[in-house]
Amino acid sequence: MIEEIRLILAVLLFCVGAYLVWDLFATGFDVVVLLSAIACFIFAHYVKPNTRDGSDSSSLWDVVDFVVDIPFKVISVFLRGI
């Protein structure tokens, strides 16, 4: 039950971060919006449950896990490159 709530919260944070990135392009650049979008993606990565039971091997879980992790991995590769 807790893992499902954490997954829903991670997806919600991912959606808010994606909206904020879209808002950067739609209404103009703002540093606060950029930092908020980055924070949403980072929080989504850390809120997302990392462990799962072997019985719950659905492909939907794998897709959500992959999609939520993409922005965090891009941000971490960028920061490691600096």
Side-chain angles (χ1 to χ4, degrees), residues 25-59:
F25 293 107
T27 62
F29 182 78
D30 188 14
V31 174
V32 174
V33 176
L34 176 65
L35 294 176
S36 300
I38 291 171
C40 283
F41 290 136
I42 291 171
F43 289 147
H45 172 76
Y46 286 113
V47 167
K48 181 183 59 70
N50 292 329
T51 59
R52 62 175 183 200
D53 299 335
S55 63
D56 186 26
S57 60
S58 78
S59 60

Side-chain angles (χ1 to χ4, degrees), residues 4-75:
E4 287 85 6
I5 293 172
R6 288 179 63 189
L7 182 63
I8 291 170
L9 183 60
V11 170
L12 180 67
L13 283 168
F14 172 79
C15 290
V16 169
Y19 170 75
L20 290 174
V21 168
W22 176 81
D23 189 46
L24 280 173
F25 293 107
T27 62
F29 182 78
D30 188 14
V31 174
V32 174
V33 176
L34 176 65
L35 294 176
S36 300
I38 291 171
C40 283
F41 290 136
I42 291 171
F43 289 147
H45 172 76
Y46 286 113
V47 167
K48 181 183 59 70
N50 292 329
T51 59
R52 62 175 183 200
D53 299 335
S55 63
D56 186 26
S57 60
S58 78
S59 60
L60 179 63
W61 177 278
D62 294 335
V63 169
V64 170
D65 184 38
F66 179 72
V67 169
V68 169
D69 267 347
I70 288 174
F72 179 78
K73 289 181 181 182
V74 169
I75 292 167

